[in-house]
Amino acid sequence: MNVVSPPAALRGISEEEWKIRCDLAALYRLVAHFRMTDFIYTHISARLPGPEHHFLINKYGVLFHEMRASDLVKIDLDGNVIEEGAESKPVNAAGFTIHSAIHMAREDASVVIHTHTEAGIAVSAQRQGLLPISQHALKFYGHLAYHDYEGIALDLDERERLVKDLGTHNAMILRNHGLLVCGRNVAEAFLNIYYLERACQAQISAMAGGAELVLPPESVRLHTADQFNRPRAEEGFAMAWGAALRLIEDGKPDYRS
């Protein structure tokens, strides 16, 4: 990816942080491209290197399709904005609760995505959760967590329960709320939300048809999940991420600004 220099207002940040900012801004644009936004009310975060566990999240009020690297806000695990111009960069309180919980507990969860899509909310409200009826859904067979709804995520004590329910998984359905995924990098997180969203869309469409659903046998479910989650998947993540970036390359303003 061609990474341009940071604007004057952000001069002095490391090259590594600027690269993460550009990647995260691109991820916001891609979530918008695939129509997984809910106006200004969901969030994506990326942890920054270092023992402080600082992470980047969106400036509240910026639409995902217009997100730039300079719009992202650096905060600490207490929700404090730790960069110049803090007064002009508000963040979503519920977003802080959800994302700080995972970044605190999971060293491997460098990127966290939370969405409120129509299909994701619909499946989150179904008692049986995600059904193993599509190839997309089988990616998460045996690798999907659930967290019961407790209200708008403003209470910090919910963080402990969120983390406990997520466990070691990289995908979770928030009951009556939406979807959450994480990944070791932007590419993995992007493909996790793409597949989980498509799985939910397929389930809602299949159930709307009213016909009896066909479920693969248990052996096939386990085999498919294993195929998706084998180590060689890293190569596929990188290839898909490179292709995805071409979808937003001509967006204005440039996400790398």
Side-chain angles (χ1 to χ4, degrees), residues 1 4 10 17-33 44-46 56-59 62-73 111 186 190 241 244-245 248-249 251 253-257:
M1 179 177 68
V4 299
L10 287 174
E17 178 178 332
W18 184 247
K19 172 64 164 58
I20 294 171
R21 282 177 175 269
C22 290
D23 282 343
L24 184 56
L27 185 53
Y28 272 97
R29 296 280 182 104
L30 286 165
V31 167
H33 178 87
I44 310 172
S45 64
L56 297 168
I57 199 165
N58 51 311
K59 177 182 175 182
V62 177
L63 295 167
F64 284 22
H65 76 273
E66 61 187 7
M67 195 67 67
R68 303 171 301 167
S70 57
D71 289 319
L72 297 163
V73 189
V111 179
V186 287
F190 168 66
W241 180 249
L245 288 177
I248 59 168
E249 185 61 36
D254 194 318
Y255 67 87
R256 295 159 294 198
S257 63

Side-chain angles (χ1 to χ4, degrees), residues 13 102 113 148 173 214 221 243:
I13 68 171
I102 298 169
I113 304 174
D148 287 339
I173 290 180
V214 175
R221 300 179 200 178

Side-chain angles (χ1 to χ4, degrees), residues 140-195:
F140 303 100
Y141 191 71
H143 298 274
L144 182 64
Y146 292 84
H147 175 68
D148 287 339
Y149 189 63
E150 299 186 21
I152 298 173
L154 299 175
D155 299 323
L156 293 181
D157 64 357
E158 186 178 353
R159 296 193 293 190
E160 182 178 346
R161 293 182 292 278
L162 270 166
V163 167
K164 181 180 179 181
D165 288 339
L166 179 62
T168 60
H169 296 309
N170 285 326
M172 183 160 67
I173 290 180
L174 306 176
R175 294 285 192 185
N176 310 103
H177 187 175
L179 307 178
L180 184 144
V181 303
C182 51
R184 291 163 291 179
N185 49 54
V186 287
E188 182 176 37
F190 168 66
L191 280 182
N192 281 341
I193 196 63
Y194 177 83
Y195 268 89

Side-chain angles (χ1 to χ4, degrees), residues 68-226:
R68 303 171 301 167
S70 57
D71 289 319
L72 297 163
V73 189
K74 186 193 304 186
I75 61 176
D76 64 20
L77 292 177
D78 294 317
N80 300 309
V81 179
I82 50 173
E83 59 183 82
E84 293 183 12
E87 66 282 352
S88 64
K89 286 191 168 185
V91 298
N92 183 309
F96 165 73
T97 300
I98 293 169
H99 290 255
S100 64
I102 298 169
H103 286 306
M104 280 194 296
R106 291 276 301 271
E107 289 290 334
D108 62 314
S110 295
V111 179
V112 180
I113 304 174
H114 171 46
T115 63
H116 298 162
T117 62
E118 183 176 358
I121 295 170
V123 171
S124 80
Q126 295 179 340
R127 187 173 299 280
Q128 72 272 32
L130 188 67
L131 295 171
I133 60 173
S134 67
Q135 180 166 280
H136 288 73
L138 291 175
K139 170 178 170 59
F140 303 100
Y141 191 71
H143 298 274
L144 182 64
Y146 292 84
H147 175 68
D148 287 339
Y149 189 63
E150 299 186 21
I152 298 173
L154 299 175
D155 299 323
L156 293 181
D157 64 357
E158 186 178 353
R159 296 193 293 190
E160 182 178 346
R161 293 182 292 278
L162 270 166
V163 167
K164 181 180 179 181
D165 288 339
L166 179 62
T168 60
H169 296 309
N170 285 326
M172 183 160 67
I173 290 180
L174 306 176
R175 294 285 192 185
N176 310 103
H177 187 175
L179 307 178
L180 184 144
V181 303
C182 51
R184 291 163 291 179
N185 49 54
V186 287
E188 182 176 37
F190 168 66
L191 280 182
N192 281 341
I193 196 63
Y194 177 83
Y195 268 89
L196 186 56
E197 172 64 18
R198 293 286 286 172
C200 290
Q201 291 173 352
Q203 178 166 322
I204 297 304
S205 294
M207 295 180 74
E212 182 179 357
L213 300 177
V214 175
L215 277 70
E218 178 71 4
S219 60
V220 173
R221 300 179 200 178
L222 293 171
H223 173 62
T224 307
D226 182 63

Side-chain angles (χ1 to χ4, degrees), residues 223-234:
H223 173 62
T224 307
D226 182 63
Q227 288 178 310
F228 269 116
N229 292 285
R230 58 192 176 189
R232 284 185 297 171
E234 281 293 331

